[in-house]
Amino acid sequence: MLTANELRSFIMNGLPCDHVEVLGDDGQHFEAVIVSPAFQGKRTLQHHQLVYGVLGSRMHAEIHALSMKTFTPEEWSKQV
């Protein structure tokens, strides 16, 4: 069973990130906040596609649902 910490590591190892928070306690349903400079100049859908690309087959096998809030570092600085 996948943990939130493992999912966070997968995201951080596959995408340059300034900040990643992952919540989820059932091993299949997760919520994530991801801040990455790789999102710069891209639409939200493209942000999500980048994350899905990093997670690859885990999205079909280990992760049933992943709710994401994605931000560029500039957008994130306005949120905090």
Side-chain angles (χ1 to χ4, degrees):
M1 186 178 305
L2 187 66
T3 68
N5 223 17
E6 289 171 324
L7 181 55
R8 181 181 182 274
S9 292
F10 292 140
I11 294 168
M12 291 189 71
N13 289 331
L15 194 64
C17 295
D18 291 355
H19 179 82
V20 179
E21 291 176 44
V22 178
L23 300 173
D25 59 4
D26 71 356
Q28 293 183 332
H29 301 86
F30 299 94
E31 294 178 19
V33 174
I34 305 165
V35 181
S36 175
F39 300 150
Q40 190 66 41
K42 295 178 175 56
R43 297 184 315 270
T44 301
L45 177 62
Q46 292 170 311
H47 298 186
H48 292 198
Q49 289 170 333
L50 283 171
V51 176
Y52 292 144
V54 165
L55 297 175
S57 64
R58 288 182 182 92
M59 283 305 301
H60 303 289
E62 299 174 73
I63 302 166
H64 178 71
L66 174 60
S67 173
M68 288 183 270
K69 293 182 182 178
T70 57
F71 303 93
T72 65
E74 295 79 18
E75 291 168 335
W76 181 246
S77 70
K78 295 174 186 174
Q79 296 290 318
V80 183

